[in-house]
Amino acid sequence: MIKETRVENGAVRGVAAADPRIISYKGIPFAAPPVGELRWKAPQPAKDWEGVLDCTRFAPISMQCRPGTDPDNIYSREWNVDPDIPMSEDSLYLNIWTPAKTTEERLPVFVWCFGGGLVEGNPAEMEFNGERLARRGIVVVTINYRLNVFGFLAHPELTAEAPEAPTNFGNLDQAFATRWVKRNITAFGGDPDNITIGGQSAGGRSVQVQLTSPQTDGLFQKAIIMSGIRYGSYSGNNSHGMNRSLEQAEADGVDFFRWAGIKDLAEARSIDAFKLRDLFRDYAGTGSGLGPGRKMWAPVNDGKCQVGHFSEQLIKNKRHMVPLLMSNTSAESREAPQVNSMEELEKLAGEMFGDRAEEFLTVVKGDTLEETIRNATFCPMELGMRLYYEATARAHPELKNWGSVFDPEIPGWDDPGTFHSSDLWFVFESLASCWRPFTGKHYDLARHICNYVSNFIKTGDPNGPDADGTPMAEWKPYTQCKGQMRYSEKGSGQLGDDTVTPVTRFLTDFYLSQF
């Protein structure tokens, strides 16, 4: 086992995980602390240290509202459970789980980016334990990055100071951490030429930024996006607030400074981190992503890190053409037309679909308005995945991509259904840390899902045998109009074109015709 090794800044010491064949390293600095004059600057290299750095505990989480304080919030019950978890602006650290016995093994590498709306979240959450994936022969890395106002502020003074990196500091942290991994992962038995990046929700959106950024070409070989690909809306907001220009973002920063009584950038950098966090929370109205400040927590089209809106870039195949594995949960993110009559629906259809309005109305028509609205309801997460895969299948049929929907029964007194993020326990096979009364069927499903994900990380193909050598259900790659795996408590099964709702099929074809 590699219990002590050396990275570019010095020696590090890990500790055995629950399985002593896995060694974990927690809290390795991948960049200098982004404090003082480095607040709102691109990440800088970490400084060297003397001796052996003890890497047996997670580093503090990034600045955010105090977690675990709202008992009515499902995520506070699920994993943001510790209101006293250490928090600091000095948070650019990563964690590694390795099964390698020597530094010569060159095992596949998985770099994980947590979700949380770019507002909250951290890699120390208990569902992100990398041990089970590592048991399957993978070096697992979970990274931290700057959030909310610390990660995504834009302001004219910042642009003047550093036009090459004026904003998107959280996304820059993610790329910087992945470059650190590429330079140093051989010290943990990993292969720097076989890196898969992955993330869920805002982490999945972050993966999309990395997939379309001109600054990350060649940095990774595969990507996983879980519930982070949202596209389509009856409100017309297909970008969901993720397509601000730098000029718009700068204006938002000026407005925040004005509201907070901050005269300039120098004063803003001198404010205590917790005070700045609270100022922005009050400005935004809440710490959960709602209110006038929400738009400031998204990646900005700055022409450097992000060029164009990443969802549209993916549909146009303007991305690093690596294999993708994408997924959504069956009960998340439903979109229905907000109408009170058929006349209002007809008007909406005309505004959205033009000369194809009658086709849309025929597709969704039911015997009643209520039935028609149900027929018109779709999942933007699923639509986004189908748009990306259809676009790829048409232009690059040789490239294999994989899609899935997560649809098992989720137990618990709150009867939550397959809520957004519920699949994380299964991908990391970390169900034993959850309070929910999972039973054998759930553990079997988690084993299969973790197997599929591990195989994709290794080879770009999720298929392979179960632990006892028996074959798992075949997962076919997505081709035009078909190919999706469904996970349920009964196991895994392949879906085909007939499972796509008529409205999702119409919307897929309609939006693709716009590009």
Side-chain angles (χ1 to χ4, degrees):
M1 304 300 106
I2 305 175
K3 295 184 178 180
E4 189 171 310
T5 191
R6 177 170 289 274
V7 296
E8 60 191 15
N9 297 115
V12 291
R13 180 185 300 115
V15 65
D19 181 342
R21 293 167 295 186
I22 308 299
I23 305 300
S24 69
Y25 291 80
K26 299 173 182 175
I28 301 177
F30 67 82
V35 301
E37 289 302 308
L38 293 185
R39 178 183 285 175
W40 299 312
K41 285 189 177 181
Q44 301 298 308
K47 293 184 178 180
D48 296 345
W49 58 81
E50 296 182 359
V52 181
L53 185 66
D54 182 74
C55 295
T56 56
R57 291 183 297 179
F58 288 112
I61 67 174
S62 294
M63 297 302 302
Q64 59 193 273
C65 290
R66 192 180 183 199
T69 58
D70 182 2
D72 295 326
N73 184 297
I74 190 171
Y75 299 107
S76 290
R77 296 195 302 272
E78 204 71 10
W79 38 69
N80 279 342
V81 298
D82 183 5
D84 298 318
I85 189 169
M87 181 186 304
S88 173
E89 193 174 6
D90 177 7
S91 61
L92 298 186
Y93 299 81
L94 54 77
N95 317 291
I96 298 173
W97 287 261
T98 179
K101 294 181 175 62
T102 74
T103 59
E104 308 301 320
E105 293 190 37
R106 297 182 71 86
L107 299 175
V109 180
F110 185 37
V111 178
W112 176 258
C113 184
F114 64 86
L118 303 175
V119 180
E120 58 190 6
N122 66 83
E125 292 177 15
M126 52 189 164
E127 77 275 22
F128 298 142
N129 187 329
E131 181 174 347
R132 304 296 293 194
L133 283 163
R135 286 188 186 185
R136 289 164 168 83
I138 294 166
V139 180
V140 180
V141 184
T142 62
I143 63 175
N144 208 5
Y145 60 96
R146 284 172 280 183
L147 301 166
N148 49 70
V149 69
F150 295 90
F152 295 94
L153 177 74
H155 191 278
E157 286 189 70
L158 287 172
T159 304
E161 178 183 80
E164 74 286 353
T167 184
N168 294 325
F169 307 108
N171 294 134
L172 294 174
D173 293 341
Q174 296 157 3
F176 198 83
T178 308
R179 292 189 189 95
W180 185 98
V181 169
K182 192 170 183 66
R183 295 193 306 271
N184 291 277
I185 205 63
T186 54
F188 304 89
D191 183 353
D193 297 319
N194 189 5
I195 294 175
T196 301
I197 62 170
Q200 184 268 347
S201 192
R205 292 197 295 274
S206 297
V207 170
Q208 291 175 84
V209 172
Q210 306 304 332
L211 272 167
T212 57
S213 174
Q215 299 177 345
T216 57
D217 188 27
L219 188 55
F220 47 86
Q221 286 67 50
K222 298 174 290 296
I224 295 174
I225 301 173
M226 297 170 55
S227 300
I229 54 179
R230 185 179 178 90
Y231 196 87
S233 170
Y234 286 116
S235 69
N237 180 21
N238 291 327
S239 65
H240 297 281
M242 298 286 173
N243 196 26
R244 287 183 306 150
S245 68
L246 181 58
E247 293 74 19
Q248 290 170 320
E250 288 175 340
D252 292 333
V254 169
D255 185 62
F256 171 58
F257 277 24
R258 177 200 56 76
W259 179 91
I262 300 171
K263 65 179 181 180
D264 57 22
L265 182 59
E267 181 180 353
R269 282 185 170 139
S270 70
I271 297 174
D272 173 78
F274 286 90
K275 181 179 179 181
L276 181 64
R277 175 202 67 177
D278 294 344
L279 280 170
F280 190 71
R281 176 201 61 201
D282 294 343
Y283 169 77
T286 176
S288 62
L290 304 176
R294 180 182 181 186
K295 56 189 174 182
M296 292 184 65
W297 302 336
V300 177
N301 184 356
D302 63 356
K304 304 296 182 181
C305 173
Q306 182 179 328
V307 178
H309 182 238
F310 52 78
S311 285
E312 294 181 355
Q313 296 295 88
L314 282 162
I315 296 171
K316 295 175 182 177
N317 286 310
K318 293 183 177 180
R319 66 170 177 92
H320 309 316
M321 299 307 294
V322 300
L324 303 181
L325 189 153
M326 297 198 285
S327 64
N328 66 278
T329 71
S330 60
E332 67 186 351
S333 182
R334 312 302 292 180
E335 179 81 21
Q338 302 301 303
V339 297
N340 297 307
S341 67
M342 285 301 299
E343 290 74 20
E344 289 184 12
L345 182 62
E346 291 168 359
K347 181 175 183 289
L348 176 65
E351 293 170 349
M352 288 191 65
F353 306 119
D355 59 6
R356 296 187 66 178
E358 285 301 321
E359 180 184 353
F360 168 79
L361 292 168
T362 300
V363 165
V364 303
K365 183 174 176 55
D367 292 335
T368 65
L369 175 63
E370 290 74 17
E371 183 181 353
T372 300
I373 290 175
R374 285 198 301 273
N375 291 342
T377 300
F378 69 97
C379 173
M381 299 290 188
E382 179 188 0
L383 177 62
M385 178 168 63
R386 290 188 177 278
L387 282 169
Y388 299 172
Y389 282 176
E390 286 286 309
T392 301
R394 294 179 185 186
H396 298 277
E398 76 287 352
L399 184 63
K400 291 183 177 181
N401 294 312
W402 315 82
S404 69
V405 59
F406 181 75
D407 190 33
E409 168 263 341
I410 300 296
W413 61 264
D414 52 352
D415 190 22
T418 51
F419 64 94
H420 182 68
S421 309
S422 57
D423 48 350
L424 290 172
W425 293 115
F426 292 74
V427 168
F428 283 85
E429 203 182 11
S430 51
L431 278 67
S433 297
C434 186
W435 65 270
R436 297 185 180 278
F438 291 121
T439 61
K441 62 186 180 183
H442 298 103
Y443 283 89
D444 285 343
L445 180 60
R447 187 181 71 255
H448 285 170
I449 293 176
C450 196
N451 285 343
Y452 283 125
V453 170
S454 298
N455 292 336
F456 177 80
I457 293 168
K458 292 175 181 178
T459 68
D461 186 330
N463 290 293
D466 200 354
D468 62 359
T470 59
M472 298 189 298
E474 182 184 5
W475 188 342
K476 297 178 182 178
Y478 189 99
T479 57
Q480 287 191 37
C481 304
K482 63 181 180 180
Q484 190 180 39
M485 179 67 76
R486 177 177 288 273
Y487 297 127
S488 73
E489 64 270 17
K490 296 179 182 178
S492 302
Q494 184 70 26
L495 294 181
D497 181 49
D498 61 340
T499 63
V500 182
T501 63
V503 70
T504 299
R505 171 61 58 220
F506 169 84
L507 292 171
T508 301
D509 183 67
F510 174 78
Y511 284 124
L512 281 176
S513 71
Q514 309 301 302
F515 292 93

